[in-house]
């Protein structure tokens, strides 16, 4: 995801809600007046539909798999790229009016914004088994003895995940869609971005084929601008 979050919301549900406003508002007369080709609009709709479908699957504990998670990330990356393209290419005042701007879900810029500094804290990750097949709970919080950042508003946790087969992945496994690890990681570099969250707890469900492998999870604070802090310690556990 781009680090430019001045107008685009971060939560995926809010990204979909904004895009849905665009689709509903862009009737043919407005699209023609704003110079938006039908092919571009159709692609936006298709990307929205794909992202919405995959988000439902990713949020369903019974249906979510690592592959679904990766596909959902890719779908939202494509949708967000197209939305940024629309914003840069077609949404300009004029021909848009202030009313159009508001209807599309954009907010007026604050003339006196409060700056958000880059995160300077370090989060800790602990893991537990919540019960159920191939499931694990990720617990997030500040390192012992340090102060928690304001994750409810300015900050959140960026979570990164990697899976290593016993003895390390082969070259073929490392090149697969899951990017299995060949050796234990020292920090979050090389791990797959799992999600951004402001919650202190996230449930992770693995594929049955990953049972017995080792999962490595690392996190770092991230602010509204997409700026990240230091890597926290890497937590690991055996996938049930």
């Amino acid at each position: 995801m781009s680090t430019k979050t001045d107008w685009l919301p971060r939560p995926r549900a809010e990204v979909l809600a904004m895009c849905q406003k665009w689709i509903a508002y862009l009737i043919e007369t407005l699209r023609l007046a704003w110079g938006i080709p039908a092919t571009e609009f159709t692609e936006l709709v298709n990307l929205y539909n794909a992202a919405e479908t995959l988000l439902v699957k990713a949020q369903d504990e019974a249906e979510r798999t690592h592959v679904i998670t990766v596909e959902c990330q890719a779908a939202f990356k494509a949708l967000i790229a197209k939305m940024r393209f629309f914003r840069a290419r077609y949404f300009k005042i004029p021909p848009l009016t202030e009313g159009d701007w508001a209807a599309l879900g954009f907010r007026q810029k604050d003339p006196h914004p409060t700056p958000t500094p880059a995160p300077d804290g370090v989060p800790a990750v602990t893991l537990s088994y919540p019960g159920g097949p191939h499931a694990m709970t990720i617990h997030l919080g500040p390192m012992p003895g340090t102060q928690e950042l304001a994750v409810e508003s300015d900050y959140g946790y960026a979570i990164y995940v990697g899976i290593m087969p016993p003895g390390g992945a082969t070259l073929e496994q490392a090149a697969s869609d899951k990017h299995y690890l060949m050796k234990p990681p020292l920090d979050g570099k090389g791990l797959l971005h799992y999600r951004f969250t402001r919650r202190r707890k996230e449930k992770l469900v693995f594929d049955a084929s990953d049972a017995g492998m080792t999962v490595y999870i690392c996190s770092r604070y991230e602010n509204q601008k997409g700026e990240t802090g230091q890597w926290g310690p890497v937590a690991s556990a055996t996938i049930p």
Side-chain angles (χ1 to χ4, degrees), residues 1-2 4-5 7-23 44 47-49 51-52 55 59 72-84 104-106 196:
M1 182 179 288
S2 170
K4 296 180 180 179
T5 54
W7 62 267
L8 184 69
R10 181 178 293 278
R12 289 172 173 173
E14 293 182 20
V15 171
L16 290 177
M18 172 175 269
C19 190
Q20 190 176 47
K21 285 183 179 180
W22 293 10
I23 293 170
L44 177 70
L47 290 172
Y48 167 84
N49 290 334
E52 182 184 41
L55 181 61
Q59 292 177 334
C72 186
Q73 291 172 351
F76 271 87
K77 183 177 181 180
L79 175 62
I80 287 169
K82 178 57 68 173
M83 291 176 70
R84 291 194 181 283
L104 292 170
F106 296 119
F196 172 89

Side-chain angles (χ1 to χ4, degrees), residues 14-209:
E14 293 182 20
V15 171
L16 290 177
M18 172 175 269
C19 190
Q20 190 176 47
K21 285 183 179 180
W22 293 10
I23 293 170
Y25 194 70
L26 286 174
I27 59 175
E28 185 175 5
T29 52
L30 284 181
R31 286 193 285 109
L32 292 174
W34 297 351
I36 303 174
T39 53
E40 292 286 359
F41 180 72
T42 299
E43 184 177 355
L44 177 70
V45 173
N46 290 340
L47 290 172
Y48 167 84
N49 290 334
E52 182 184 41
T53 299
L54 284 165
L55 181 61
V56 171
K57 292 182 179 180
Q59 292 177 334
D60 186 338
E61 293 183 0
E63 193 169 2
R64 182 174 64 227
T65 64
H66 182 73
V67 172
I68 291 294
T69 298
V70 173
E71 289 179 347
C72 186
Q73 291 172 351
F76 271 87
K77 183 177 181 180
L79 175 62
I80 287 169
K82 178 57 68 173
M83 291 176 70
R84 291 194 181 283
F85 172 80
F86 263 65
R87 166 68 178 82
R89 178 68 63 89
Y90 304 120
F91 296 161
K92 299 181 183 296
I93 299 177
L96 278 70
T97 66
E98 293 289 345
D100 294 327
W101 194 254
L104 292 170
F106 296 119
R107 294 176 295 179
Q108 297 296 325
K109 291 186 177 181
D110 185 352
H112 305 290
T114 302
T116 301
D120 59 1
V122 179
V125 175
T126 57
L127 305 173
S128 66
Y129 298 102
H134 322 305
M136 194 170 292
T137 298
I138 305 170
H139 303 270
L140 301 157
M143 289 289 291
T146 64
Q147 185 175 1
E148 173 70 289
L149 299 184
V151 296
E152 308 85 17
S153 54
D154 294 335
Y155 299 93
Y157 303 97
I159 304 172
Y160 299 79
V161 177
I163 300 172
M164 189 178 77
T170 64
L171 288 174
E172 183 178 2
Q173 289 175 317
S176 69
D177 291 341
K178 293 188 178 182
H179 300 287
Y180 287 113
L181 300 173
M182 301 181 73
K183 60 182 180 180
L186 298 177
D187 54 30
K189 296 176 182 176
L191 301 182
L192 295 175
H193 181 266
Y194 173 60
R195 68 173 52 174
F196 172 89
T197 183
R198 288 193 169 94
R199 298 191 295 184
R200 297 286 295 271
K201 186 167 64 175
E202 290 285 345
K203 186 175 181 180
L204 182 58
V205 179
F206 301 90
D207 294 339
S209 59

